[in-house]
Amino acid sequence: MQKNPYLALLILWPLALISLSSSNPCDPTNQRDPRALRSDQITVLMNGYSESRIPLLRSLASTYTSSPLVSSVLVLWGNPSTSAQTLARLAHNLSLSSFGPAPISLVRQRSNSLNDRFLPRFSIGTHAVLICDDDVEVDSRSFEFAFKVWRLNPDRLIGLFVRSHDMDLGAKQWIYTVHGDKYSIVLTKFMMLKSEYLWRYSCEGGAQMSEVRRTVDRMKNCEDILMNFVVADEVKAGPILVGAEKVRDWGDARNDGDGGRGLKDGEGRRVREVGLSSRRREHRKRRGDCLREFHKVLGRMPLRYSYGKVVNSVGEQGLCLKGGKLVFCDQYRR
Ligand SMILES: *[C@@H]1O[C@H](CO)[C@@H](O)[C@H](O)[C@H]1NC(C)=O
């Protein structure tokens, strides 16, 4: 398009400067004034990795743009071996896939570090962010309800998939597990939180946080657990589980049925525990290793249990599950 190469250089030069100056995500100029952030909308940060899932990713991203609550969708591409050509095509396709006024943009992550999904970004113009995977499909009413719950509890972590830490009394060590009646960890399959926590995770906490972020890199796992540590440490409260009407986790065959998400009856859970594959046992062990390592380095266990599940009711008033009983949500907050 550009005939004069000098003119092109002149135009591109400021762009090069911009990308250089923002190359340190923790540069204070990258931190937005919270007063300038919108509260009525949310920014969706969708993780992308697998090229074979691109059609699904496009469909999920465009569904989010059809919600008036979404300010923009950022697809964070974390697979370093994807070719520039494929990414350019994906970026083009995504720019055509937006249903609503919310734009979709594609960002190639600067490294394959799992910590990068929590990097603060100047383009995030909202108080709330949704961290989600490219294979988790949530119906729009549940998404909107989850955002409503976040707005009532902006300091908490909100999610649809939960797990737990626990103390193994025999081995006297922290373990990673699933409980039928309580939870302390929200998974990044679908996690809503205030954008300030991205800064806290990536840029604060001194040497201890640097060390546990390095643990995430070494384990190639557990960035979600670490975010739960960061938030629980800040608010001294556990996360909030929201019950969704329809969720499909394409990455997890168990979720064709009830999904191991949410708080289901203990019976079904025991059956699944027995059927734990060795791969899943290995996964659980690694996650336990992370819990122990984070606990050791930080010198404390900030994770807290929550017991309720917030569900959307037919009427105006949300109903919350508390101790096995449905109560109005205003009685739910403890
Ligand atoms: C882009 O869209 C075209 C047409 O739908 C499709 O054939 C191609 O696979 C897509 N590529 C990517 C990377 O999304």
Side-chain angles (χ1 to χ4, degrees):
M1 261 195 332
Q2 201 49 257
K3 290 217 179 74
N4 183 338
Y6 295 105
L7 192 52
L9 259 183
L10 277 177
I11 292 171
L12 289 176
W13 179 236
L15 287 178
L17 280 183
I18 288 168
S19 64
L20 273 180
S21 63
S22 64
S23 65
N24 173 13
C26 295
D27 188 302
T29 58
N30 205 19
Q31 191 174 24
R32 294 198 45 169
D33 181 351
R35 287 167 303 182
L37 300 175
R38 298 181 65 147
S39 302
D40 57 336
Q41 285 189 321
I42 185 165
T43 304
V44 177
L45 301 177
M46 186 182 293
N47 234 34
Y49 193 89
S50 161
E51 288 173 36
S52 64
R53 280 206 296 260
I54 283 179
L56 180 60
L57 178 145
R58 282 177 61 190
S59 138
L60 297 179
S62 54
T63 305
Y64 278 120
T65 64
S66 67
S67 167
L69 299 179
V70 171
S71 142
S72 68
V73 178
L74 289 182
V75 174
L76 307 177
W77 195 261
N79 186 344
S81 57
T82 302
S83 74
Q85 197 186 20
T86 303
L87 276 191
R89 267 199 230 110
L90 176 59
H92 175 73
N93 286 357
L94 286 174
S95 70
L96 302 176
S97 317
S98 182
F99 286 155
I104 310 180
S105 41
L106 178 67
V107 179
R108 188 198 265 277
Q109 297 282 44
R110 54 179 196 166
S111 74
N112 60 357
S113 166
L114 293 170
N115 291 312
D116 284 6
R117 77 185 306 187
F118 294 137
L119 285 181
R121 295 169 196 281
F122 194 77
S123 59
I124 299 174
T126 56
H127 270 294
V129 292
L130 168 66
I131 308 280
C132 60
D133 283 343
D134 58 351
D135 55 0
V136 173
E137 192 175 350
V138 176
D139 67 284
S140 58
R141 269 165 37 114
S142 300
F143 163 70
E144 283 163 16
F145 179 65
F147 185 51
K148 208 163 152 185
V149 173
W150 177 82
R151 290 180 73 178
L152 292 170
N153 303 276
D155 295 330
R156 308 278 289 275
L157 270 184
I158 313 290
L160 301 181
F161 304 88
V162 291
R163 299 291 185 270
S164 274
H165 72 299
D166 206 349
M167 175 58 82
D168 179 335
L169 292 176
K172 290 206 175 53
Q173 62 174 9
W174 295 109
I175 53 163
Y176 180 80
T177 186
V178 181
H179 285 301
D181 60 342
K182 60 181 179 181
Y183 55 93
S184 54
I185 296 167
V186 162
L187 303 184
T188 37
K189 288 166 184 285
F190 185 102
M191 171 194 275
M192 270 183 198
L193 71 168
K194 63 178 177 186
S195 48
E196 283 134 274
Y197 288 138
L198 302 178
W199 184 269
R200 189 139 309 178
Y201 180 103
S202 308
C203 309
E204 290 183 351
Q208 287 180 335
M209 271 305 289
S210 305
E211 190 173 342
V212 284
R213 283 194 303 267
R214 276 198 300 276
T215 305
V216 167
D217 284 332
R218 201 177 61 242
M219 307 288 289
K220 295 190 171 52
N221 202 326
C222 306
E223 79 285 6
D224 51 351
I225 297 181
L226 185 54
M227 180 57 94
N228 279 270
F229 267 65
V230 166
V231 176
D233 210 17
E234 171 83 11
V235 292
K236 313 288 181 221
I240 298 178
L241 170 64
V242 169
E245 289 170 28
K246 257 187 276 165
V247 176
R248 226 186 146 84
D249 179 356
W250 298 86
D252 187 345
R254 289 174 310 152
N255 286 321
D256 288 345
D258 87 40
R261 69 194 134 84
L263 303 176
K264 295 279 176 171
D265 59 301
E267 206 51 48
R269 188 167 308 284
R270 253 196 309 281
V271 173
R272 275 196 305 276
E273 298 267 351
V274 170
L276 272 188
S277 66
S278 61
R279 193 175 58 86
R280 194 161 292 139
R281 250 197 308 272
E282 177 56 26
H283 170 73
R284 209 171 263 196
K285 190 194 152 293
R286 285 164 64 95
R287 308 271 285 174
D289 291 342
C290 291
L291 281 173
R292 291 185 284 278
E293 184 68 18
F294 296 163
H295 171 252
K296 195 177 83 191
V297 173
L298 301 175
R300 57 189 180 276
M301 174 46 77
L303 295 183
R304 308 268 177 123
Y305 290 118
S306 296
Y307 300 85
K309 170 175 172 175
V310 187
V311 295
N312 202 358
S313 77
V314 200
E316 283 287 288
Q317 170 65 56
L319 287 177
C320 298
L321 193 64
K322 183 182 182 182
K325 287 199 199 94
L326 282 177
V327 298
F328 289 120
C329 288
D330 13 9
Q331 298 161 23
Y332 167 82
R333 300 172 72 186
R334 290 164 296 129

